[in-house]
Amino acid sequence: METTDALFAQYAEETMGKVFYFCLKKTGSSHEAEDLTSEISLCILQALRRGAQPVCLSAYVWQIARNRYRLWAIRKRRAGLSAPLEEQDGADAFRAEDEVVNSEQLALLRRELAFIASDYRSILVAYYILDEKTADIALRLGLSESTVRSRLFRARRILKEGMEMSRTFGRKSYAPEEITFSASGNQPSGLPWNAIQRKAPKNILLQASCNPSTAEELSMELGIALPYMEEELALLVQATLLKKEGSRYVTNFVILDSECQQALYAAQCSRSKERSALIDRLADALLPKVRELTAMQSDMSDGDIKWFLIPYITDFCIKQERRYTLEWPEKRDNGETWGLLGYEQTVLPANTFVGHEGRILPEAEFWTYQICDYGMKNRRGEMDNDEILLLTELLRSGRRIDTLSELEKQIWQRLDGHFAHAGSDRRAVPDILVFDRASLQGLHDAIRSHESYDDLMCEIERAFDATMDILRSRVDAANLAQLPYCTTMQMFDIRMMTIHDEVESGRLIVPADPSQSTAAMWLALTK
């Protein structure tokens, strides 16, 4: 709240000069104008000292100026003096000043119309801005005239309260926050990603997380006028990312705040070294088994195969934990079952993200771990559908490269030197690991039968317990059914922790040229 001195100083600097010229125009005398200006200024100062806190100082000043001038004119008439020139103009006497005051009020009116609900807003705009009669409004909106009058009465009260209020927009109105997401499941409709690409929906979701909010509250926090906010909210509800409870909106999924993410990181790191050592022991023991089990032999080094084994063993053990689930608790309105987890912007001691991307076709599946550190994220990229189909067919049939059709040769040129190469017999040799169902099952059996498996599962269960306990204390009651899903999603951060431990210990070597590496990529033949 501004002090009296500050408000009066603002008046003296910004408006007093205009008030003097207003008085000069009214009185026609510089002496009279000075006296009247002093009287108006004293009136303003006394009102401020009595505690007046005008929403708009300029409009407040001009209202006082008009009133004091009227009193001055009355005193002149009573004293038998001729009326001032401006007083003789009748209804036009205060036109210029009315325009100033009305423009201030109109600005406030427009401001409030931006934050009033649509049922009231349409009637207010029609009545005050478009100058329509209540009967015409009723006819156009398909309402009874009594309903229009009732809403107009209620809307006036809301509008008056708003215009007398000093509105303060939230921090997100000028400093939108960043939020990231991880999703699981099939998303043929493009959801949720096509609904959360812009800053506005991201910050609406962040504000409504564990905080049921009305459209008006969200408008004020984000500084978005209500007509636009209502549209954004409708889209997010349709995308099943928000749900409406009465007049309030709340997120339909869990967003982890910074404090929660820090606590999760600390809990999962607490025994990371012990867990990573067990995973490494398993990976080293399985290196020869992978070469024995792969459906097609490749020229990959032990180091590259280990880049596959470290995250794969981690994932496999997480999936064996009894509480593991990536099943979303309920179907989306469009029948999809994808899940979503949000992350408020924070800075953790180390990156924890390793993506697991797959391209699934009836004949084969291409999988890759997107390792964000050590220059390993993109490596040689990903195979497209045509490349997967051709490589799968060449490996199954054993065809020679020189038998390819013209179209197949074009596809092979994209594969050659990236994901496969021609051997001395002119047949395709994969530069990625290739498994079939039997060989993957053999790998899983080998993991379970290793002497370190039980100890590793104890470590995984301990991390699962700690993760679930932290999330349970922070997930709101409305989204508590998602707790097992959220815990499972968060457990995959262990992938990157293990990779960090392995690289830092020297047990896992970063390829000399990561951009040319196919480490942690594999093809799974499904037929």
Side-chain angles (χ1 to χ4, degrees):
M1 187 175 289
E2 291 188 82
T3 65
T4 296
D5 289 346
L7 287 168
F8 192 76
Q10 182 184 343
Y11 156 71
E13 181 178 347
E14 297 176 0
T15 319
M16 187 183 285
K18 296 175 183 176
V19 169
F20 172 76
Y21 285 109
F22 160 73
C23 295
L24 183 61
K25 182 178 180 182
K26 295 296 187 184
T27 63
S29 161
S30 59
H31 178 71
E32 294 274 20
E34 288 174 0
D35 288 347
L36 184 53
T37 300
S38 297
E39 184 179 335
I40 291 169
S41 299
L42 180 60
C43 224
I44 292 168
L45 181 58
Q46 289 172 338
L48 294 175
R49 284 178 175 171
R50 286 195 299 269
Q53 282 288 328
V55 174
C56 177
L57 182 62
S58 178
Y60 185 73
V61 164
W62 285 113
Q63 188 64 47
I64 290 177
R66 287 178 56 186
N67 290 339
R68 300 315 299 180
Y69 168 67
R70 282 173 177 163
L71 291 174
W72 180 88
I74 290 170
R75 289 199 305 268
K76 286 289 184 183
R77 281 198 300 271
R78 286 176 179 172
L81 301 175
S82 59
L85 179 63
E86 288 288 334
E87 187 73 9
Q88 298 169 15
D89 291 339
D92 295 333
F94 304 109
R95 182 178 301 161
E97 287 67 41
D98 279 345
E99 288 176 1
V100 172
V101 174
N102 288 341
S103 68
E104 298 284 359
Q105 295 298 314
L106 186 57
L108 287 175
L109 174 64
R110 285 173 174 164
R111 183 196 75 180
E112 287 310 306
L113 284 172
F115 296 101
I116 199 166
S118 56
D119 286 349
Y120 297 122
R121 185 173 59 247
S122 59
I123 293 175
L124 284 168
V125 169
Y127 189 81
Y128 283 110
I129 305 299
L130 303 180
D131 202 25
E132 290 185 29
K133 295 179 180 178
T134 54
D136 296 333
I137 297 171
L139 182 63
R140 182 168 54 80
L141 296 180
L143 301 170
S144 67
E145 190 170 355
S146 62
T147 298
V148 170
R149 290 184 181 279
S150 174
R151 289 187 184 179
L152 187 59
F153 176 76
R154 171 67 179 144
R156 282 174 178 146
R157 289 180 57 191
I158 297 172
L159 201 60
K160 183 175 183 295
E161 289 169 4
M163 291 176 71
E164 292 173 351
M165 174 191 307
S166 179
R167 288 199 182 271
T168 303
F169 293 142
R171 185 178 184 277
K172 290 184 179 66
S173 66
Y174 59 86
E177 295 182 38
E178 188 52 61
I179 177 174
T180 55
F181 304 91
S182 60
S184 64
N186 244 349
Q187 302 122 15
S189 67
L191 290 172
W193 301 110
N194 57 14
I196 51 178
Q197 295 300 312
R198 296 173 293 112
K199 287 186 174 66
K202 286 181 180 179
N203 280 264
I204 291 169
L205 293 170
L206 199 55
Q207 184 65 20
S209 175
C210 300
N211 180 37
S213 305
T214 65
E216 292 82 358
E217 288 167 346
L218 291 167
S219 291
M220 289 304 302
E221 175 59 34
L222 273 69
I224 298 175
L226 204 53
Y228 305 103
M229 175 59 71
E230 288 166 343
E231 184 177 44
E232 294 286 354
L233 292 173
L235 291 171
L236 289 171
V237 169
Q238 184 180 3
T240 65
L241 300 176
L242 277 182
K243 53 188 172 184
K244 193 174 183 183
E245 299 175 342
S247 63
R248 296 183 177 275
Y249 297 85
V250 66
T251 51
N252 202 22
F253 65 100
V254 174
I255 298 177
L256 304 183
D257 62 27
S258 177
E259 181 183 353
C260 181
Q261 292 176 62
Q262 298 284 349
L264 288 168
Y265 181 88
Q268 292 181 345
C269 270
S270 63
R271 290 187 60 82
S272 179
K273 302 293 184 187
E274 293 85 349
R275 193 170 57 236
S276 297
L278 291 167
I279 293 170
D280 181 79
R281 194 180 306 165
L282 258 167
D284 282 344
L286 291 174
L287 279 171
K289 192 68 174 176
V290 169
R291 291 197 183 278
E292 174 191 327
L293 288 170
T294 48
M296 302 291 170
Q297 293 298 310
S298 69
D299 293 338
M300 294 185 74
S301 67
D302 283 355
D304 281 353
I305 294 175
K306 194 168 182 178
W307 274 97
F308 156 77
L309 279 171
I310 293 297
Y312 192 87
I313 292 170
T314 305
D315 281 7
F316 177 80
C317 292
I318 290 171
K319 292 173 184 177
Q320 306 315 300
E321 216 284 336
R322 56 188 170 81
R323 292 161 293 184
Y324 168 87
T325 179
L326 281 182
E327 291 295 321
W328 188 253
E330 59 189 35
K331 277 191 176 183
R332 304 286 172 179
D333 290 348
N334 61 5
E336 296 175 357
T337 57
W338 48 265
L340 186 67
L341 191 58
Y343 302 88
E344 184 183 15
Q345 191 171 32
T346 191
V347 178
L348 296 174
N351 171 47
T352 60
F353 180 74
V354 176
H356 186 214
E357 301 294 330
R359 191 178 286 267
I360 302 173
L361 303 176
E363 295 81 359
E365 300 173 2
F366 173 75
W367 292 96
T368 180
Y369 283 113
Q370 291 185 328
I371 301 161
C372 291
D373 290 345
Y374 313 115
M376 295 283 286
K377 182 175 182 181
N378 295 317
R379 305 193 291 293
R380 288 189 181 177
E382 298 181 10
M383 285 196 286
D384 63 26
N385 289 357
D386 288 341
E387 292 165 355
I388 293 170
L389 290 172
L390 179 61
L391 182 57
T392 299
E393 196 275 328
L394 290 176
L395 294 176
R396 285 189 180 281
S397 67
R399 284 173 59 197
R400 293 166 56 93
I401 303 303
D402 49 23
T403 66
L404 298 180
S405 68
E406 287 304 314
L407 178 58
E408 289 173 328
K409 286 178 182 178
Q410 293 176 21
I411 300 171
W412 173 254
Q413 286 176 355
R414 303 201 304 267
L415 284 167
D416 191 17
H418 289 86
F419 302 101
H421 63 276
S424 57
D425 60 356
R426 300 303 295 161
R427 289 180 171 83
V429 178
D431 291 328
I432 57 175
L433 292 172
V434 180
F435 297 95
D436 56 22
R437 288 175 178 171
S439 56
L440 277 177
Q441 185 59 52
L443 178 59
H444 298 166
D445 293 341
I447 294 172
R448 286 194 192 94
S449 62
H450 192 270
E451 61 182 7
S452 299
Y453 176 72
D454 288 342
D455 291 338
L456 177 54
M457 283 306 303
C458 286
E459 293 293 341
I460 294 294
E461 287 172 10
R462 186 180 285 114
F464 216 106
D465 287 340
T467 301
M468 183 169 276
D469 286 345
I470 291 169
L471 289 174
R472 185 181 287 109
S473 67
R474 287 168 167 81
V475 172
D476 61 304
N479 290 321
L480 204 56
Q482 299 172 25
L483 181 60
Y485 171 84
C486 295
T487 303
T488 298
M489 288 288 284
Q490 200 59 30
M491 280 293 292
F492 288 115
D493 283 359
I494 290 174
R495 289 175 187 152
M496 196 69 228
M497 292 180 188
T498 306
I499 290 171
H500 283 152
D501 289 341
E502 290 294 280
V503 172
E504 289 166 13
S505 69
R507 299 189 296 252
L508 187 63
I509 307 302
V510 178
D513 185 0
S515 67
Q516 296 303 308
S517 174
T518 56
M521 298 181 183
W522 72 100
L523 191 68
L525 308 179
T526 53
K527 283 187 177 179

